[in-house]
Amino acid sequence: MSVTAAQGFSAAGVAAGIKHSGNPDLALVVNNGPRTAAAGVFTSNRVQAAPVQWSKQVLSRGAVSAVVLNSGGANACTGPDGFDDTHATAAHTARVLGHRADEIAVASTGLIGVRLPMDKLLPGIETAAAALAADGGDQAAVAIKTTDTVHKTAVYEGEGWSVGGMAKGAGMLAPGLATMLVVLTTDADLDSPALDAALREATRLTFDRIDSDGCMSTNDTVLLLASGASTVVPAAGVFADAVRTVCDDLARQLIGDAEGASKDIRIEVVGAASEDDAVEVARTIARNNLLKCALHGEDPNWGRVLAAIGTTRAAFEPDRLNVAFNGVWLCKDGAIGADRAAVDLRGREVRITADLATGPASAVVWANDLTAEYVHENSAYSS
Amino acid sequence: MSVTAAQGFSAAGVAAGIKHSGNPDLALVVNNGPRTAAAGVFTSNRVQAAPVQWSKQVLSRGAVSAVVLNSGGANACTGPDGFDDTHATAAHTARVLGHRADEIAVASTGLIGVRLPMDKLLPGIETAAAALAADGGDQAAVAIKTTDTVHKTAVYEGEGWSVGGMAKGAGMLAPGLATMLVVLTTDADLDSPALDAALREATRLTFDRIDSDGCMSTNDTVLLLASGASTVVPAAGVFADAVRTVCDDLARQLIGDAEGASKDIRIEVVGAASEDDAVEVARTIARNNLLKCALHGEDPNWGRVLAAIGTTRAAFEPDRLNVAFNGVWLCKDGAIGADRAAVDLRGREVRITADLATGPASAVVWANDLTAEYVHENSAYSS
């Protein structure tokens, strides 16, 4: 049910003709209220697509009545003309729905540096508006796919309220890959600051901790809209857990469907002096191309983990580091530990544990391996 | 002639049986004086192999009478036992040559986390010592190869003096890949501080500015030895240029022979506020996997260059950035410029120019593309 699991929302996904393939490429998510509270987080890339620039302004007022999303073009690095296109998209959506343009968020994904075909996009908005339905969440989730092989949705059911969401992309928020777009909806009766607090904490621990290929998108967008239609006001902690649960589910789906990947790699750093240290070390391991290749080859090459850790600024002593693959401690005190032959890396999921032996903090980052298929998918055509 | 181009040096390369393949794997470079001045720079990785730990101590005294190098094993992450192996290597070399152990530098390259077969390495030193020759430079260069497809040497001829060198590895100094080992020799009559100044400036502008795959080795070592045998004392600027010329030549050879690469990518950042900004931006572009894949596919995907620039802390305004591929400005003022069709990326060398339009500083970093062959080479077996 995706973004229409919560009461008060309708959605649609249609083929507007933006993609040459003729696949669905335009999604609309409408908040029918009574509230139109919203929060958003965006890419930390300093080169930001026109829809990100626009939607940040919209979200700064904390109210979103609808989100229009397109695949088939990122509308990034398109200059003032591209911003005009985003503005026209919001204005047209507002006219069609009878809302104000400054309450319409816009998100785009696809190739950077190409203008959107507005002659197809604007009529597509009308088609999508006509197709809006209280069970349209799955159609919307399908229409935002690019290189995704499956559409991604998640739902959390609270007591009389719920949180639902959809996502596309094979990477992360900040930094983020291949554009990650996420729309979450809830019928909980919460205001914009409450949504914002829950969303920021959830993204910090979920989307911010997946790292498929270390590349940060110009378009990453995560929105949380509240209709208030349930009239239930959940406790802040309960709501935060719900949002985090949905984000975690979607984040894992993104890693599980990353471009060309054959492994989902869970990197846990323990014994760190601080959470920041743990995240820095985990992310550095996650981005090491040599290690990512080794894992693709199912080789528990722990030396590449140590070489990666050694490039960080985290607090540790090289001769106290310990590293495990799937629970087998191959490296103890910075030197040779258990026999590599004891490790079986044939499963899709691989667990790496790096113990800095310095303090009490820890963090988990999810990553993917590096494969010939990734190279092919990102070299054979523009994306 | 490599490390034996300069007067006062002899060298040898032999097969000691460290590599299972039976290929040459042990090299010896001996400084016959009258001077034994030396300088060295080493990996900035905090996890450092035993030979790096040892050789840094040796170089701290500024005198090196011989360097013993092995391929077939990095002796990294091998703990106190591994350090004992390096110590024994230096001590045995000293005994065989009639020198002091604390003037013997050691360098190793190969798999991390495996002990060296000392029962083969120590007799190999005796074989190498017996094979030392005034024209042994090429044999030494061959013996330090790992995944290198060709051995790498360079020579600069001064007036009555020269600088020669050999290198192995497919990456860079700091950070560095797959272990880069370089030995440079000169018969110029210079002391250790003079060598050190020339070497640091040269490596900063050459080995430090190649970035094949963003991965930093635990073993990178660059040594410069002076015999003084020419009795010529070149001017500091002339000598610095000579060392830089040899380093630049070897650095380009490393990029040209990087693992699995099909493109040599010259990334020049201009219009930067500072040289540090220019290097940061160039290195970030150099490490973007999506761009590296696109270049492998000969796709001038300038959007990925902008997305990479946007992740840096350098001074720039997104709407003033300009990017050229092979001299064609595809991105102007952060938006769409010339037609992509005007760019031909079929050659081995690709030139990317990124203009930050902020200041007068510039820098060049060389990189490689990302290919299925790179993945294969680094996943099919431990290395």
Side-chain angles (χ1 to χ4, degrees), chain A residues 44-48 76-80 111-115 175 177-178 213-218 259 287-299 301-304 306-318 321 331 333-336 340 370-372 374-383, chain B residues 44-48 76-80 111-115 175 177-178 213-218 259 287-299 301-304 306-318 321 331 333-336 340 370-372 374-383:
Chain A
S44 59
N45 200 308
R46 291 167 60 197
V47 174
Q48 302 193 331
C77 306
T78 45
L111 186 61
I112 299 174
V114 176
R115 296 280 301 279
L177 151 83
D213 69 352
C215 296
M216 187 196 294
S217 168
T218 51
E259 287 176 341
R287 291 182 176 178
N288 188 278
N289 277 353
L290 289 171
L291 176 66
K292 288 157 73 89
C293 287
L295 292 174
H296 175 53
E298 303 183 344
D299 169 20
N301 197 320
W302 61 267
R304 292 178 180 174
L306 262 73
I309 295 172
T311 68
T312 70
R313 299 159 301 180
F316 69 83
E317 293 301 324
L321 296 171
C331 172
D333 294 332
I336 303 160
R340 294 170 181 240
L370 183 55
T371 70
Y374 174 88
V375 175
H376 178 72
E377 197 159 338
N378 288 295
S379 63
Y381 53 86
S382 287
S383 64
Chain B
S44 59
N45 200 310
R46 291 167 60 198
V47 175
Q48 304 193 330
C77 305
T78 44
L111 185 62
I112 299 174
V114 177
R115 296 281 300 280
L177 151 83
D213 71 349
C215 296
M216 186 196 293
S217 167
T218 51
E259 287 176 342
R287 291 183 177 178
N288 189 276
N289 277 353
L290 289 171
L291 176 67
K292 287 156 74 87
C293 287
L295 292 174
H296 176 53
E298 302 183 346
D299 170 20
N301 197 320
W302 60 268
R304 292 177 181 175
L306 262 73
I309 296 173
T311 66
T312 69
R313 300 157 300 179
F316 69 85
E317 294 300 323
L321 295 171
C331 172
D333 294 332
I336 304 160
R340 294 171 182 240
L370 183 55
T371 70
Y374 173 88
V375 174
H376 178 72
E377 198 157 339
N378 288 294
S379 63
Y381 53 84
S382 287
S383 62

Side-chain angles (χ1 to χ4, degrees), chain B residues 170-223:
Chain B
M172 63 159 102
L173 177 66
L177 151 83
T179 303
M180 187 191 68
L181 301 184
V182 179
V183 179
L184 307 170
T185 57
T186 183
D187 45 16
D189 192 12
L190 296 169
D191 61 11
S192 169
L195 300 177
D196 190 68
L199 183 62
R200 284 186 191 281
E201 179 67 3
T203 54
R204 186 178 78 81
L205 295 170
T206 58
F207 297 119
D208 273 348
R209 296 199 181 168
I210 58 176
D211 195 320
S212 179
D213 71 349
C215 296
M216 186 196 293
S217 167
T218 51
N219 287 55
D220 292 327
T221 299
V222 183
L223 302 176

Side-chain angles (χ1 to χ4, degrees), chain B:
Chain B
M1 288 292 286
S2 166
V3 289
T4 48
Q7 301 172 64
F9 292 91
S10 52
V14 300
I18 305 167
K19 285 178 179 166
H20 297 299
S21 64
N23 288 332
D25 49 20
L26 190 84
L28 197 55
V29 179
V30 176
N31 185 348
N32 301 306
R35 268 188 186 279
T36 55
V41 291
F42 300 90
T43 182
S44 59
N45 200 310
R46 291 167 60 198
V47 175
Q48 304 193 330
V52 169
Q53 296 175 36
W54 170 265
S55 295
K56 286 172 85 166
Q57 290 182 28
V58 170
L59 268 296
S60 68
R61 288 185 294 273
V64 169
S65 55
V67 187
V68 54
L69 310 95
N70 75 276
S71 51
N75 197 8
C77 305
T78 44
D81 291 340
F83 190 82
D84 286 348
D85 290 342
T86 290
H87 188 181
T89 300
H92 194 67
T93 305
R95 269 193 300 276
V96 170
L97 297 176
H99 286 298
R100 293 163 40 142
D102 64 4
E103 292 192 355
I104 309 294
V106 182
S108 301
T109 176
L111 185 62
I112 299 174
V114 177
R115 296 281 300 280
L116 289 171
M118 296 303 289
D119 58 327
K120 290 172 178 162
L121 197 151
L122 296 182
I125 291 169
E126 294 162 39
T127 311
L132 282 169
D135 61 357
D138 285 331
Q139 282 73 28
V142 168
I144 59 174
K145 286 169 56 185
T146 51
T147 58
D148 308 69
T149 65
V150 293
H151 67 284
K152 295 150 183 101
T153 67
V155 175
Y156 174 96
E157 291 288 351
E159 304 207 354
W161 58 280
S162 62
V163 178
M166 65 178 185
K168 67 79 48 185
M172 63 159 102
L173 177 66
L177 151 83
T179 303
M180 187 191 68
L181 301 184
V182 179
V183 179
L184 307 170
T185 57
T186 183
D187 45 16
D189 192 12
L190 296 169
D191 61 11
S192 169
L195 300 177
D196 190 68
L199 183 62
R200 284 186 191 281
E201 179 67 3
T203 54
R204 186 178 78 81
L205 295 170
T206 58
F207 297 119
D208 273 348
R209 296 199 181 168
I210 58 176
D211 195 320
S212 179
D213 71 349
C215 296
M216 186 196 293
S217 167
T218 51
N219 287 55
D220 292 327
T221 299
V222 183
L223 302 176
L224 170 57
L225 317 184
S227 68
S230 73
T231 71
V232 178
V233 183
V238 173
F239 184 70
D241 283 349
V243 174
R244 181 175 162 182
T245 299
V246 171
C247 288
D248 198 45
D249 189 340
L250 292 172
R252 287 282 292 108
Q253 292 183 51
L254 293 177
I255 283 290
D257 190 35
E259 287 176 342
S262 72
K263 301 285 184 192
D264 299 346
I265 308 164
R266 181 185 191 274
I267 300 158
E268 180 167 24
V269 174
V270 301
S274 68
E275 188 178 349
D276 283 351
D277 272 11
V279 172
E280 182 191 353
V281 170
R283 196 179 292 287
T284 303
I285 295 170
R287 291 183 177 178
N288 189 276
N289 277 353
L290 289 171
L291 176 67
K292 287 156 74 87
C293 287
L295 292 174
H296 176 53
E298 302 183 346
D299 170 20
N301 197 320
W302 60 268
R304 292 177 181 175
V305 176
L306 262 73
I309 296 173
T311 66
T312 69
R313 300 157 300 179
F316 69 85
E317 294 300 323
D319 59 1
R320 293 192 63 202
L321 295 171
N322 307 299
V323 175
F325 281 67
N326 283 352
V328 181
W329 292 93
L330 297 180
C331 172
K332 288 188 179 171
D333 294 332
I336 304 160
D339 188 348
R340 294 171 182 240
V343 179
D344 181 353
L345 298 181
R346 285 174 296 179
R348 167 103 192 177
E349 185 172 317
V350 171
R351 287 174 292 116
I352 296 177
T353 314
D355 173 17
L356 303 187
T358 301
S362 66
V364 172
V365 167
W366 283 87
N368 292 111
D369 57 342
L370 183 55
T371 70
E373 290 69 30
Y374 173 88
V375 174
H376 178 72
E377 198 157 339
N378 288 294
S379 63
Y381 53 84
S382 287
S383 62

